[in-house]
Amino acid sequence: MDAGLAAVLGALAGSVATIGAALATGWAQREGARIAARSEHRRERREPRHSLYRELLGAATAFEKMVGHYEFFDIEVPEDLLLRDEDIPDFLQKQVAVEKLAVEVALAGPKNVGEVALSLAKLSDELFKYAVALSAVLAERQETEQRTWQFTTQKVTSASKRYSRTLSQFVSLAQAALDDDGSLS
């Protein structure tokens, strides 16, 4: 190989190496920028979610405090633990708060957290209706058949148990969603 050809090949190899290094550097910078943008996007989405999750958890817990004890009575609920007529407006207000916040959480996402939040809203509505019905049945207990009393008691007990489980599931999924840094997806 003569010196001229070696010089041309050397220059060509140097050019290819320089172009390759430039492409690799450009790719690495684009990838770094994409990762930074994704991280910022996740942070911006996490902050409002955290606030909404906390609000829903507070409302759902306040609602549960009014009727969570029903889950412990399969056949007979002591009369002093039933809702009183004067408690119903406050109970309804708490139930409506759970529904409204659940919709907000469903919109904020992610999907699995939103689905559980909407289930929580549905169960709060069901539990509200059964708890109010149980109180109404108690008021008319003399005229009410034993089967109606037992049916209503079983329904409120079942709804209360499902509500508690769903609330626990919401907490777990919300924590996982807030802890997700995007490294797994």
Side-chain angles (χ1 to χ4, degrees), residues 56-78:
L56 177 56
L57 182 58
T61 302
F63 179 81
E64 184 182 39
K65 284 181 182 179
M66 292 193 80
V67 288
H69 55 272
Y70 289 140
E71 72 180 279
F72 301 110
F73 303 101
D74 287 328
I75 298 172
E76 188 75 24
V77 177

Side-chain angles (χ1 to χ4, degrees), residues 93-127:
Q93 184 179 11
K94 285 177 174 41
Q95 190 276 323
V96 169
V98 170
E99 276 188 343
K100 287 181 179 179
L101 287 166
V103 170
E104 293 294 321
V105 166
L107 293 174
K111 184 178 180 181
N112 61 345
V113 176
E115 288 172 347
V116 172
L118 292 175
S119 293
L120 199 59
K122 182 180 177 191
L123 285 168
S124 72
D125 181 57
E126 185 179 328
L127 188 51

Side-chain angles (χ1 to χ4, degrees), residues 15-182:
S15 296
V16 169
T18 303
I19 291 170
L23 288 174
T25 302
W27 176 83
Q29 287 176 341
R30 279 192 307 280
E31 189 65 20
R34 187 184 68 77
I35 290 169
R38 181 178 171 99
S39 175
E40 180 63 19
H41 175 72
R42 284 191 174 274
R43 186 188 64 74
E44 287 174 0
R45 292 206 27 115
R46 183 187 186 281
E47 290 173 11
R49 283 179 177 172
H50 181 270
S51 176
L52 284 170
Y53 294 172
R54 184 182 31 180
E55 287 180 46
L56 177 56
L57 182 58
T61 302
F63 179 81
E64 184 182 39
K65 284 181 182 179
M66 292 193 80
V67 288
H69 55 272
Y70 289 140
E71 72 180 279
F72 301 110
F73 303 101
D74 287 328
I75 298 172
E76 188 75 24
V77 177
E79 291 183 21
D80 60 326
L81 293 179
L82 294 172
L83 285 175
R84 297 174 307 216
D85 287 343
E86 59 268 15
D87 295 331
I88 292 175
D90 184 42
F91 188 41
L92 176 61
Q93 184 179 11
K94 285 177 174 41
Q95 190 276 323
V96 169
V98 170
E99 276 188 343
K100 287 181 179 179
L101 287 166
V103 170
E104 293 294 321
V105 166
L107 293 174
K111 184 178 180 181
N112 61 345
V113 176
E115 288 172 347
V116 172
L118 292 175
S119 293
L120 199 59
K122 182 180 177 191
L123 285 168
S124 72
D125 181 57
E126 185 179 328
L127 188 51
F128 172 79
K129 289 173 183 172
Y130 287 133
V132 170
L134 188 63
S135 296
V137 167
L138 175 66
E140 303 295 325
R141 195 157 187 192
Q142 308 314 338
E143 295 89 35
T144 304
E145 290 183 22
Q146 184 65 21
R147 285 184 330 160
T148 303
W149 173 256
Q150 288 177 340
F151 173 80
T152 309
T153 301
Q154 289 171 347
K155 286 295 190 177
V156 78
T157 299
S158 172
S160 184
K161 288 177 182 178
R162 286 182 288 136
Y163 184 85
S164 292
R165 282 192 307 268
T166 304
L167 182 55
S168 294
Q169 184 183 12
F170 171 75
V171 170
S172 296
L173 289 174
Q175 287 173 336
L178 292 174
D179 287 343
D180 180 18
D181 63 357

